[in-house]
């Protein structure tokens, strides 16, 4: 789960990493009130979970009476598929230096990697490409948190010394501890601002929490409400859902099977409306909810179901789909391929509910059947 | 037939055998003929499930039964400790079935397995099956057949489909090993490729890959040296990219789109593997390679 900037900054602040003074606003009026309290100048920042906000006009420096109008122009703005519904109103600070500090779970090596560059700011990707010697990496053993002296030596590579080196080392240590404690997959501060008076503050945040670890994290509830409603619903049901542009809904047990189904649809010239992976443990209730979720996307006019059953009889899943279908005024065309425990009973349930059943092993056969039905 | 990792010398324990899923799956693995010697559930020592003795910890199964492998059915929150215990007890093949395991836990499991030369399959894997010998996992036994094709898969159900299509074409499997579908897993594909290359019962290997990560690209480096043919199918050509990583991810994966289907297929093809555009093409390519 990706956090919005202000949510990430809350985690930073709770961990003792300094952030600019500020508050969130949902209306231009609120923004004006907060800006007035902050001082003569303030920064308005659109809260959307994507990069490139500045270039899209989602970040503005404002002063005096202009705040209300500027806030009104950003709220409601569309930035890369995300409607701006919240602003972060912050004090305006001038950084003497912009540093990059990030931490990521590197899935290929299976380690935690801390990244640091004295050349932070919006062009960090370009720096990484053109001046790779300006990006420093520290690989962390998951069993051993690096002691402070190791972190100090790591940060010193950026050419820092004395008090600033100590400050930066402290921020790196806090960020690493936060990531381990809070199950973060990504924790990035860019820019990490160094002010003229020597203070070091997180100018932005990019934080992603491991969905699989939400059960042991305390902060989830206060952030959940801000997530995309369909993806939030999927999380509550216990399935993985990604919305796409097409009109054919996809439900599959297993990510590989779901992607193969999408690939075959696309190869045949059709666009999937979503990716939905049920995981193991298919029940009637799970499939009932998953099917309804897929059909909440108004573009969906047909659905392809591709399942393998395990411990739970696959026929239960079919009952869930058929129940959801029977409650719909405009039911979509549905084709199902389902194999495994109680497959014959499953096929009967589907057929009685008006679903075309494909009994072949090949997903391709189900795709062909669906295309025949909708053409 | 022998296959890799799971063979007639395997003496496996089922961790979490008294749970609903653990108990049902244990009975199916026993029915399949798998060498299972005991179950483990802390607090249930002395019980019996399907005729198997249940112990409170893994250590006792090693003391009493010379256990050397484990298949684990415990909730995601407890899997890390279950795996670390099995490693500490000296088991050498560990299959972690659970899905939704926190990544930071997987990092620890993987590191401990590497440090102790343990085969850790998963998490989020269907497990491993050597048809005719045994299975440690949840795959339906009747969807596999004895034969000479080794399968390495990141996906559970998709590998059932591929195996089914291979069987329809008259082949069978020496072993199917699921590495697991999570972003971080215990075993890299390349290690399994090396096992299949030196397994006398395997004539060819099928890789069922997916987008993300670089394990297929890494596997390609070894395929160049292999004497046995490799057929690969990679799922996810149409999946949307870049849904997750921030700058930190972009920095790490710089160097030209590693992780995409194109990158994987290019690496595999250049290494001499045969690429299937869809699951239905795998069997035909195997026929061509083994002619």
């Amino acid at each position: 789960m990706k956090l919005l900037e202000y949510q990430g900054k809350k985690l930073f602040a709770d961990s003792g990493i300094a952030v600019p003074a500020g508050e969130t606003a949902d209306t231009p009026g609120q923004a004006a009130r907060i800006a007035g309290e902050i001082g003569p100048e303030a920064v308005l920042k659109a809260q959307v979970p994507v990069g490139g906000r500045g270039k899209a006009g989602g970040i503005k420096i404002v002063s005096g009476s202009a705040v209300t109008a500027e806030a009104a122009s950003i709220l409601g703005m569309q930035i890369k598929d995300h409607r701006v519904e919240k602003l972060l109103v912050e004090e305006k600070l001038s950084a003497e230096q912009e540093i990059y500090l990030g931490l990521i779970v590197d899935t290929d090596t299976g380690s935690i990697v801390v990244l640091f560059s004295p050349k932070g700011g919006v062009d960090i990707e370009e720096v990484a490409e053109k001046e790779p010697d300006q990006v420093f990496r520290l690989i962390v053993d998951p069993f051993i948190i690096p002691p402070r002296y190791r972190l100090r030596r790591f940060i010193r590579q950026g050419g820092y010394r004395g008090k600033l080196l100590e400050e930066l080392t402290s921020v790196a240590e806090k960020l690493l501890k936060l990531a381990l404690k809070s199950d973060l997959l990504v924790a990035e501060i860019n820019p990490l601002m160094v002010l003229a008076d020597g203070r070091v503050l997180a100018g932005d945040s990019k934080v992603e929490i491991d969905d699989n670890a939400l059960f042991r994290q305390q902060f989830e509830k206060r952030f959940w409400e801000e997530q995309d409603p369909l993806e939030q619903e999927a999380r509550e049901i216990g399935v993985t859902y990604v919305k796409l542009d097409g009109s054919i809904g996809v439900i599959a047990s297993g990510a590989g099977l779901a992607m193969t189904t999408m690939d075959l649809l696309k190869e045949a010239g059709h666009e999937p409306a979503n990716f939905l992976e049920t995981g193991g443990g298919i029940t009637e209730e799970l499939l009932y909810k998953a099917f309804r979720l897929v059909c909440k996307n108004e573009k969906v006019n047909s659905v392809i179901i591709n399942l393998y059953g395990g411990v739970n009889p696959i026929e239960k899943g079919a009952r869930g789909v058929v129940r959801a279908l029977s409650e719909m005024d405009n039911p979509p065309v549905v084709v199902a391929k389902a194999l495994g425990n109680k497959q014959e009973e499953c096929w009967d349930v589907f057929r009685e509910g008006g679903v075309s059943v494909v009994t072949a092993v090949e997903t391709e056969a189900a795709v062909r059947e669906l295309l025949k039905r909708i053409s | 037939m022998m296959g890799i990792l799971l063979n007639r010398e395997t003496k496996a324990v089922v961790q979490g055998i008294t749970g609903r899923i653990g108990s049902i799956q244990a009975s199916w693995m026993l029915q399949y003929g798998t060498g299972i010697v005991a179950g483990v559930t802390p607090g249930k020592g002395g019980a019996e499930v399907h005729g198997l003795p249940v112990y409170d910890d893994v250590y006792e199964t090693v003391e009493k039964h010379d256990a050397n492998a484990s298949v684990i059915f415990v909730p995601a929150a407890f899997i890390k400790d279950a795996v670390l215990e099995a490693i500490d007890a000296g088991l050498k093949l560990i299959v972690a079935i659970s899905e939704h395991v926190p990544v930071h836990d997987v990092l620890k499991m993987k590191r401990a397995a590497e440090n102790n030369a343990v085969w850790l399959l998963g998490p989020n894997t269907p497990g491993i099956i050597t048809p005719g010998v045994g299975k440690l996992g949840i795959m339906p036994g009747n969807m596999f057949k004895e034969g000479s094709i080794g399968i390495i898969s990141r996906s559970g159900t998709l590998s059932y489909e591929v195996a089914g299509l291979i069987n329809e074409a008259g082949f069978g499997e020496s072993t199917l090993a699921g590495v697991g579908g999570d972003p971080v897993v215990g075993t890299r594909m390349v290690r399994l490729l090396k096992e299949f290359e030196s397994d006398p019962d395997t004539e060819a290997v099928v890789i069922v890959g997916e987008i993300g990560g670089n394990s297929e690209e890494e596997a390609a480096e070894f395929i160049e040296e292999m004497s046995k043919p490799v057929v690969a199918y990679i799922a996810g050509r149409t999946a949307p990219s870049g849904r997750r990583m921030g700058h930190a991810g972009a920095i790490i994966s710089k160097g030209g789109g590693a992780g995409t289907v194109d990158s994987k297929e290019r690496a595999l093809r250049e290494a001499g593997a045969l690429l299937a555009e869809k699951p239905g093409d795998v069997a035909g390519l195997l026929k061509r390679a083994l002619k």
Side-chain angles (χ1 to χ4, degrees):
Chain A
M1 181 170 74
K2 280 181 185 167
L3 299 190
L4 295 169
E5 178 191 2
Y6 83 93
Q7 297 171 328
K9 281 180 167 169
K10 248 180 219 166
L11 287 189
F12 291 168
D14 291 348
S15 316
I17 297 171
V19 300
E23 264 183 70
T24 56
D26 303 319
T27 64
Q30 274 181 341
R33 180 187 58 75
I34 298 162
E37 288 165 12
I38 283 174
E41 267 194 326
V43 190
L44 304 180
K45 303 178 87 176
Q47 297 298 290
V48 284
V50 287
R53 289 176 298 168
K55 282 170 193 154
I59 299 177
K60 290 267 167 63
I61 297 165
V62 292
S63 59
S65 58
V67 179
T68 313
E70 289 286 10
S73 77
I74 301 176
L75 282 166
M77 179 186 273
Q78 202 75 16
I79 301 179
K80 293 184 191 166
D81 293 345
H82 292 275
R83 197 183 131 86
V84 180
E85 294 185 348
K86 202 181 270 295
L87 295 176
L88 176 59
V89 186
E90 276 189 342
E91 62 178 323
K92 163 83 175 63
L93 298 169
S94 309
E96 291 229 310
Q97 284 183 64
E98 292 195 329
I99 291 167
Y100 172 93
L101 180 65
L103 182 150
I104 187 175
V105 172
D106 178 19
T107 54
D108 288 328
T109 59
S111 353
I112 297 157
V113 181
V114 184
L115 295 147
F116 173 76
S117 174
K119 298 195 167 180
V122 289
D123 298 323
I124 185 64
E125 277 163 356
E126 204 181 310
V127 172
E129 199 174 311
K130 293 189 178 151
E131 300 171 81
D133 60 335
Q134 289 298 302
V135 180
F136 303 100
R137 287 171 175 73
L138 179 71
I139 295 177
V140 176
D141 184 315
F143 285 102
I144 307 164
I145 299 177
R148 186 143 179 154
Y149 51 83
R150 277 290 184 79
L151 290 171
R152 185 182 297 116
R153 184 180 65 177
F154 170 63
I155 301 290
R156 191 163 53 78
Q157 295 175 100
Y160 299 98
R161 61 189 299 183
K163 193 160 174 298
L164 181 56
L165 174 62
E166 219 41 37
E167 276 290 321
L168 295 175
T169 304
S170 163
V171 174
E173 188 176 39
K174 285 168 183 162
L175 190 68
L176 183 56
K177 284 186 174 159
L178 169 66
L180 295 174
K181 184 184 73 155
S182 301
D183 281 295
L184 304 186
L185 301 176
V186 177
E188 185 184 87
I189 305 174
N190 185 32
L192 181 61
M193 301 189 293
V194 181
L195 307 188
D197 61 10
R199 283 191 297 154
V200 175
L201 294 94
D204 197 354
S205 83
K206 188 166 288 173
V207 174
E208 185 176 355
I209 302 172
D210 183 358
D211 284 349
N212 289 344
L214 290 177
F215 70 88
R216 64 185 176 197
Q217 294 299 339
Q218 300 304 311
F219 47 70
E220 80 259 43
K221 289 290 176 216
R222 66 179 152 128
F223 296 144
W224 269 32
E225 62 207 41
E226 319 247 341
Q227 301 287 310
D228 175 80
L230 281 185
E231 290 187 12
Q232 188 189 328
E233 191 180 329
R235 192 174 283 124
E236 280 160 14
I237 297 171
V239 299
T240 310
Y241 174 90
V242 178
K243 191 163 178 281
L244 303 167
D245 296 329
S247 61
I248 302 177
V250 174
I251 296 176
S253 60
L257 201 60
M259 286 194 285
T260 293
T261 310
M262 286 163 50
D263 292 351
L264 290 167
L265 284 172
K266 191 120 173 174
E267 197 191 79
H270 292 263
E271 293 289 331
N274 68 276
F275 165 98
L276 188 148
E277 198 260 296
T278 61
I282 291 170
T283 61
E284 176 173 343
E285 208 52 28
L286 184 87
L287 262 278
Y288 172 76
K289 289 177 178 165
F291 190 83
R292 285 170 55 98
L293 174 71
V294 164
C295 294
K296 276 186 188 168
N297 175 352
E298 286 152 11
K299 282 189 183 170
V300 168
N301 51 30
S302 63
V303 179
I304 184 165
I305 297 175
N306 195 354
L307 304 175
Y308 278 89
V311 168
N312 300 337
I314 189 80
E315 150 256 343
K316 300 270 191 221
R319 287 188 195 285
V321 171
V322 167
R323 175 152 64 93
L325 266 174
S326 70
E327 293 170 6
M328 289 176 181
D329 295 329
N330 272 318
V333 171
V334 187
V335 170
K337 193 199 96 180
L339 299 170
N341 191 1
K342 296 253 168 84
Q343 62 188 26
E344 284 82 8
E345 289 92 324
C346 169
W347 298 342
D348 289 343
V349 171
F350 271 134
R351 285 180 183 130
E352 279 162 30
V355 173
S356 301
V357 172
V358 173
T359 59
V361 173
E362 273 184 284
T363 296
E364 220 183 333
V367 169
R368 275 197 304 268
E369 175 65 20
L370 183 86
L371 299 184
K372 206 170 78 192
R373 289 276 315 269
I374 61 175
S375 67
Chain B
M1 288 295 158
M2 280 302 278
I4 65 165
L5 306 186
L6 172 55
N7 52 40
R8 302 235 182 257
E9 274 76 59
T10 300
K11 291 178 186 166
V13 300
V14 179
Q15 287 175 262
I17 195 168
T18 55
R20 185 178 78 94
I21 305 286
S23 166
I24 296 175
Q25 292 291 352
S27 74
W28 289 349
M29 289 185 284
L30 281 170
Q31 276 170 30
Y32 194 75
T34 316
I36 296 178
V37 295
V40 173
T41 300
K44 297 276 173 71
E48 207 182 87
V49 175
H50 310 304
L52 293 171
V54 178
Y55 296 93
D56 291 304
D57 65 19
V58 180
Y59 302 97
E60 200 172 351
T61 68
V62 177
E63 292 158 16
K64 303 239 167 87
H65 301 276
D66 288 328
N68 57 18
S70 173
V71 56
I72 306 178
F73 298 92
V74 302
F78 307 109
I79 187 91
K80 182 191 78 185
D81 280 358
V83 167
L84 296 183
E85 181 190 344
I87 292 172
D88 198 44
L91 306 192
K92 289 300 169 195
L93 170 63
I94 299 170
V95 181
I97 303 293
S98 316
E99 48 187 355
H100 304 306
V101 181
V103 173
H104 285 272
D105 290 357
V106 182
L107 296 181
K108 293 196 172 88
M109 289 155 51
K110 176 185 164 73
R111 183 63 59 108
E114 284 168 358
N115 290 348
N116 292 279
V118 167
W119 288 95
L120 170 62
L121 298 177
N124 190 11
T125 175
I128 179 168
I129 182 167
T130 298
V133 173
K135 67 172 191 131
L136 292 177
I138 58 172
M139 67 286 281
N142 61 4
M143 291 185 186
F144 298 86
K145 201 169 97 180
E146 287 177 50
S148 62
I149 310 299
I151 302 182
I152 302 170
S153 179
R154 285 171 67 182
S155 161
T157 50
L158 179 57
S159 70
Y160 307 168
E161 172 160 334
V162 170
L165 294 169
I166 289 175
N167 295 346
E168 281 180 0
F171 295 102
E173 299 78 41
S174 54
T175 295
L176 170 134
V179 293
D182 280 6
V184 182
V185 291
T187 297
R188 306 280 293 175
M189 282 186 168
V190 64
R191 263 184 87 199
L192 290 163
L193 264 185
K194 289 177 182 171
E195 290 296 304
F196 278 127
E197 170 74 357
S198 54
D199 172 36
D201 298 318
T202 298
E203 285 185 76
V205 183
V206 172
I207 290 176
V208 182
E210 281 175 15
I211 51 161
N214 70 351
S215 58
E216 291 85 356
E217 286 91 335
E218 183 187 55
E221 289 174 26
F222 178 69
I223 290 173
E224 268 181 67
E225 307 166 20
M226 281 179 68
S227 64
K228 296 175 185 176
V230 175
V231 175
Y233 167 72
I234 313 291
R237 178 174 295 286
T238 60
S241 66
R243 299 273 307 208
R244 191 149 97 174
M245 297 307 179
H247 281 297
I251 287 173
I252 278 193
S253 64
K254 76 178 159 55
T260 62
V261 170
D262 283 344
S263 149
K264 290 172 190 304
E265 290 194 341
R266 194 179 330 112
L268 290 164
R269 190 177 287 117
E270 282 171 10
L274 301 170
L275 271 298
E277 272 183 34
K278 45 186 194 275
D281 295 344
V282 170
L285 291 172
L286 278 175
K287 277 190 179 154
R288 181 154 35 112
L290 292 173
K291 201 168 49 185

